[in-house]
Amino acid sequence: MGLGSLLLPGILEFSLRFSYSTLPSMAGLKGWKWAPSECSEGTLLTWPENTPSIHGLRLGVYGDSVAEGHRLAQPYQERFGVLLARKLSSQQVIWTEANDAHPGASWCSAVGTARSRIEHHEVEAALVAFFADDLAVHAQFSIQGQPVRFTSQATPWVRPWVEFSYLFNWIWLHWNQRLGGADPRYIHPVDQELFVRSIQYLMQASTQNQVPLLIALIPPIGVKNCPKSPSKTSYCNWMIEDFWLIARLLEQAHAPWVNLWDVYGQDDVTVPEERSLPVGGLAIHPNAHGHQQIADRLFPELKNRLKGGAQP
């Protein structure tokens, strides 16, 4: 092997960095770690500026874009957290949704924020809404608007290249596009142990601060349209697998949770924007009717949790 062959990768790496000054590697991801930190504190998020002023008893809602009401025409009136607060209210007691959900939030963010709100006495009840992909770890960035994710089968010797090499990511991006690869994910047993432990810490904070807690596990609305034998790399395969893995871990943690797998029944609750998805796509966000179904299912469970808790 000549000197030129040895220098070629370095020349290509330099050329890519020079040509794509904004081309990131995974090393540039803010706060990215292979082993996530303990979810004991969480990041306190401010209330969105356009959220109505909080008055009465506060129902804290934590989760991702589904809990946030993404793609609803009127999320501050139609999402399930608002509907639940309305159903809990009476002439004597007013409940208001205090929504801390945000698109792309991880389970760690939801649990950490819920625990912080509880420990700081900023809510009188807490609802944590997990989604089917919340255990998936996607290291993600973009090149010219195109999403780039590392392969879930990345072995330890490959990871340093994934993390630090522009050339590796550039080659992987184009190779994956040619193969038509689906979004992969990486779930390590350590992450599962951390999930269970963090749920138990959250439950402990709920008990110590006398703030009723309920956890909901929400499926993608498009699962009923999945084939019976989906490919292993498709959303229909891994997202369903992950849903039941989260369910098993919640049972392991002895959490107060509700399985919403069949909440939508056979109704079409798809938002218009997700009715024409590409092959392999999976509808995620329910419409207003879907949020109503979630609220109706959760209401008796939440009301039961409130007995002897925050409810005066």
Side-chain angles (χ1 to χ4, degrees), residues 168-215:
F168 187 100
N169 282 294
W170 186 84
I171 293 174
W172 183 87
L173 168 66
H174 291 279
W175 181 257
N176 192 60
Q177 288 177 332
R178 289 189 64 182
L179 295 179
D183 287 348
R185 94 286 199 203
Y186 176 82
I187 300 178
H188 193 275
V190 172
D191 301 324
Q192 299 178 35
E193 295 170 7
L194 176 62
F195 179 87
V196 172
R197 192 163 60 249
S198 298
I199 294 296
Q200 291 172 337
Y201 288 155
L202 176 61
M203 293 163 57
Q204 184 179 4
S206 167
T207 301
Q208 290 177 346
N209 293 275
Q210 297 184 334
V211 175
L213 168 69
L214 184 65
I215 297 172

Side-chain angles (χ1 to χ4, degrees), residues 257-297:
W257 74 288
V258 181
N259 188 337
L260 297 177
W261 176 256
D262 60 350
V263 68
Y264 304 122
Q266 295 303 312
D267 294 348
D268 181 10
V269 296
T270 309
V271 293
E273 295 88 342
E274 296 182 11
R275 284 184 178 152
S276 300
L277 291 174
V279 176
L282 189 62
I284 300 297
H285 301 96
N287 60 19
H289 180 54
H291 277 262
Q292 182 67 63
Q293 290 174 307
I294 294 174
D296 290 343
R297 178 71 67 86

Side-chain angles (χ1 to χ4, degrees), residues 50-67:
N50 52 349
T51 299
S53 59
I54 305 298
H55 62 280
L57 299 180
R58 297 157 295 185
L59 171 62
V61 178
Y62 313 94
D64 58 12
S65 58
V66 176

